[in-house]
């Protein structure tokens, strides 16, 4: 509209991007040539590049996405029956420092923008044939989504919008190591998403070692925040536990975990 175009042109362009899977302004065939030229002169449709694309025999596809400032993040498309799930990154690097994860080795560099998060979704959507749609989103790639909550929620607004990717919030999961203040903020958010808490240890001694950010939080506070989220949202709450040989896989750990989740 700032360029003197009718407001409905924005809806047309939006439709081309999210429903038409357009990869260039030139392919938006119901826009005038002059508008396409203006768009090419002033905007970029995709700000990132695909640095590497890996496919597995089971249909999983992994993209290494190059950001405009040289940073890199990964996102993944998983095929399982009719499901077309994507796993999306929220930050470059990660400050949580989980000992089993390469993403946190150098700490966090920066938060991704809303556009960079949405672009991962679109790039993965482009991997699907025209008659298939993305069905599920998990915010579980590089980074801690709740440490970049505003932009993650902004990107998920686009993902769930019927004019956007049209994915129901019931099929969207935010994964977190468990940051109570941010979990409470998420609980107050108007749109409830599924929450997955990465626990990885059933007591503070072990969790402080495996998930160092736990030293500032504690397992009890994480569990209480998760309970509050469930009470407020009514959405599915899951706990993730990476089994690490001779670290957190003892019978004692299993018994403690069972008591914790009861
Ligand atoms: S929170 Fe996730 S991305 Fe960050 S270090 Fe832990 S496992 Fe890796």
């Amino acid at each position: 509209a700032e360029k003197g175009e009718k407001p409905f042109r924005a809806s047309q362009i939006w439709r081309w991007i999210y429903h038409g899977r357009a990869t260039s302004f030139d392919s938006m065939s119901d826009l005038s040539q002059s508008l396409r030229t203006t768009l090419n002169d002033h905007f970029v449709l995709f700000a990132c590049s695909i640095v590497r694309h890996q496919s597995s025999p089971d249909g999983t596809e992994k993209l290494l996405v190059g950001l405009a400032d040289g940073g890199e993040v990964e996102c993944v498309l998983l095929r399982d029956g009719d499901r077309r799930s994507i796993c999306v990154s929220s930050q470059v690097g990660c400050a949580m420092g989980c000992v089993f994860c390469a993403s946190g080795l150098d700490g966090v560099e920066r938060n991704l923008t809303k556009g960079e998060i949405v672009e991962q979704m679109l790039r993965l959507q482009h991997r699907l044939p025209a008659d298939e749609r993305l069905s599920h989103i998990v915010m579980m790639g590089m980074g801690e989504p709740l440490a970049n909550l505003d932009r993650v929620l902004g990107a998920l607004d686009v993902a769930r919008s019927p004019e956007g990717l049209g994915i129901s919030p019931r099929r969207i999961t935010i994964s977190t190591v468990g940051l109570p203040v941010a979990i409470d903020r998420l609980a107050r958010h108007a749109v409830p998403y599924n929450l997955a808490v990465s626990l990885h240890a059933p007591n503070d001694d072990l969790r402080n070692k495996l998930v160092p950010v736990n030293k500032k939080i504690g397992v009890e506070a994480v569990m209480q925040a998760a309970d509050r989220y469930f009470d407020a949202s009514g959405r599915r709450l899951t706990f993730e536990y990476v089994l690490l040989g001779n670290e957190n896989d003892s019978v004692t750990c299993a018994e403690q975990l069972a008591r914790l989740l009861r």
Side-chain angles (χ1 to χ4, degrees):
E2 281 169 18
K3 303 265 173 227
E5 291 292 336
K6 299 267 189 295
F8 75 86
R9 293 287 182 207
S11 312
Q12 266 181 305
I13 295 167
W14 185 270
R15 247 193 328 273
W16 270 111
I17 294 171
Y18 293 99
H19 295 182
R21 304 186 188 181
T23 54
S24 69
F25 292 120
D26 289 325
S27 63
M28 300 179 180
S29 54
D30 57 358
L31 303 184
S32 68
Q33 186 55 54
S34 68
L35 176 55
R36 282 184 255 172
T37 303
T38 304
L39 291 169
N40 275 323
D41 288 347
H42 294 91
F43 303 98
V44 286
L45 199 47
F46 292 104
C48 309
S49 60
I50 303 301
V51 177
R52 195 169 61 232
H53 171 224
Q54 292 172 286
S55 300
S56 302
D58 66 359
T60 300
E61 296 189 49
K62 191 192 284 186
L63 301 180
L64 181 64
V65 176
L67 308 171
D69 65 358
E72 293 178 343
V73 294
E74 279 187 342
C75 56
V76 182
L77 167 68
L78 299 126
R79 293 176 165 88
D80 180 15
D82 290 339
R83 279 187 177 218
R84 298 292 178 266
S85 307
I86 58 172
C87 177
V88 175
S89 293
S90 56
Q91 296 181 303
V92 184
C94 184
M96 302 300 123
C98 304
V99 294
F100 48 83
C101 173
S103 297
L105 284 179
D106 297 322
V108 66
E109 203 176 304
R110 69 172 173 86
N111 287 334
L112 293 184
T113 64
K114 172 182 161 182
E116 288 166 335
I117 298 170
V118 171
E119 186 165 335
Q120 293 172 70
M121 299 173 186
L122 288 171
R123 295 285 193 176
L124 292 167
Q125 182 201 44
H126 293 169
R127 306 308 310 163
L128 297 177
D131 61 344
E132 290 185 10
R133 298 183 57 222
L134 297 178
S135 63
H136 294 73
I137 297 177
V138 189
M139 292 303 307
M140 200 200 278
M142 181 183 271
E144 163 55 56
L146 294 194
N148 186 17
L149 188 55
D150 288 331
R151 290 166 173 186
V152 166
L153 290 177
L156 293 180
D157 282 345
V158 175
R160 67 185 173 79
S161 158
E163 289 78 34
L165 295 173
I167 299 174
S168 162
R170 291 182 179 280
R171 295 177 168 207
I172 297 176
T173 300
I174 299 178
S175 174
T176 177
V177 291
L179 306 180
V181 174
I183 290 176
D184 287 339
R185 244 197 87 199
L186 189 61
R188 292 191 297 273
H189 185 60
V191 182
Y193 296 107
N194 302 319
L195 186 70
V197 177
S198 299
L199 207 52
H200 307 317
N203 60 64
D204 280 328
D205 282 348
L206 189 52
R207 196 164 195 262
N208 289 348
K209 195 172 133 198
L210 301 179
V211 185
V213 72
N214 188 69
K215 290 177 202 153
K216 293 186 235 158
I217 303 169
V219 169
E220 189 56 33
V222 173
M223 299 304 292
Q224 286 175 0
D227 283 345
R228 288 195 296 275
Y229 186 80
F230 180 73
D231 289 343
S233 70
R235 281 296 153 91
R236 200 178 61 192
L237 176 64
T238 52
F239 292 90
E240 292 151 355
Y241 195 103
V242 170
L243 279 178
L244 302 166
N246 299 321
E247 289 280 3
N248 64 358
D249 62 344
S250 67
V251 172
T252 307
C253 282
E255 288 169 349
Q256 287 180 356
L257 182 64
R259 276 197 296 277
L260 196 62
L261 299 182
R262 205 163 279 152

